Amino acid sequence: MEEEEDLFARRRPWRAGPDAPDGDWMALDDDDLLHRIETLAPDHSMDDTLVRIVCSNRHFFIRQEAAKRVRDMRLLKDYEHDRHVGQILARRMSRIEDLEYLERLAMKSRHLDVRKSAQAQLSKLKRHPAG
C-alpha cells in the first residue's frame, strides 16, 4: 500500500483546460486541443507548439497525443524520462543509429511500459534492419 501511495505522490499533476492567453493552443479546452492535434496535416509545421504541449501540465493522454504528432523526433529526446513520451519515442524509432538509444531505454527506464516498447522496437529492427 505504501508503494501505491508513493506512486501517486510522484505522479505529475495535470490540469484540464485553458492555460494560456486566447489564440494560443494551450488556451483550448481538452476536447478542442485534442481535435487540433488529431487534425494536423502530416506535413504540418507545428512541432514547437506540440513540444510545448508535451512539456505542459495537461493530462498525460493529451501530452502523449501531441508527442505522437511531432515530426522531428529529436525534439522529444530531452523528454525521454517522461514515460509517455518515452513510449512514443520507442515506437517511432526505426533507424539503425537509434539502436543505442533503444537499448538504453530497454535497460534503464524506470517504467515497464517504456522498457517493453523499446524492447519491441529493438526486436522489430533486428528482424528488419533496413527499418
Side-chain angles (χ1 to χ4, degrees):
M1 189 69 163
E2 269 183 49
E3 281 185 30
E4 206 170 295
E5 288 173 10
D6 287 344
L7 175 65
F8 289 117
R10 288 188 310 233
R11 281 192 178 168
R12 185 173 161 180
W14 64 276
R15 180 173 171 203
D19 193 18
D22 286 343
D24 188 289
W25 280 36
M26 294 299 290
L28 299 170
D29 66 26
D30 290 355
D31 190 41
D32 290 336
L33 182 55
L34 280 170
H35 176 71
R36 283 266 176 101
I37 293 167
E38 293 299 323
T39 58
L40 279 171
D43 62 344
H44 71 81
S45 60
M46 300 297 293
D47 277 0
D48 290 340
T49 299
L50 293 169
V51 170
R52 279 187 36 242
I53 295 166
V54 168
C55 300
S56 75
N57 62 351
R58 297 301 277 265
H59 191 273
F60 81 86
F61 180 73
I62 292 172
R63 294 183 307 107
Q64 191 171 51
E65 292 303 305
K68 287 178 186 177
R69 299 304 304 266
V70 172
R71 294 178 66 205
D72 183 355
M73 297 309 290
R74 293 173 297 180
L75 297 173
L76 294 177
K77 286 190 179 181
D78 289 340
Y79 308 100
E80 66 186 37
H81 62 280
D82 181 317
R83 66 185 263 199
H84 304 105
V85 176
Q87 288 178 53
I88 300 307
L89 283 169
R91 289 179 191 149
R92 297 262 308 261
M93 301 267 170
S94 62
R95 299 180 314 231
I96 295 303
E97 60 265 22
D98 293 320
L99 282 174
E100 182 179 306
Y101 173 78
L102 287 168
E103 288 168 347
R104 189 175 73 240
L105 269 181
M107 290 177 58
K108 295 187 177 184
S109 178
R110 297 183 327 264
H111 307 287
L112 178 62
D113 45 2
V114 173
R115 289 193 310 268
K116 284 185 175 185
S117 293
Q119 290 165 349
Q121 192 65 18
L122 279 167
S123 293
K124 179 180 171 184
L125 283 172
K126 288 176 182 175
R127 283 192 310 271
H128 306 285

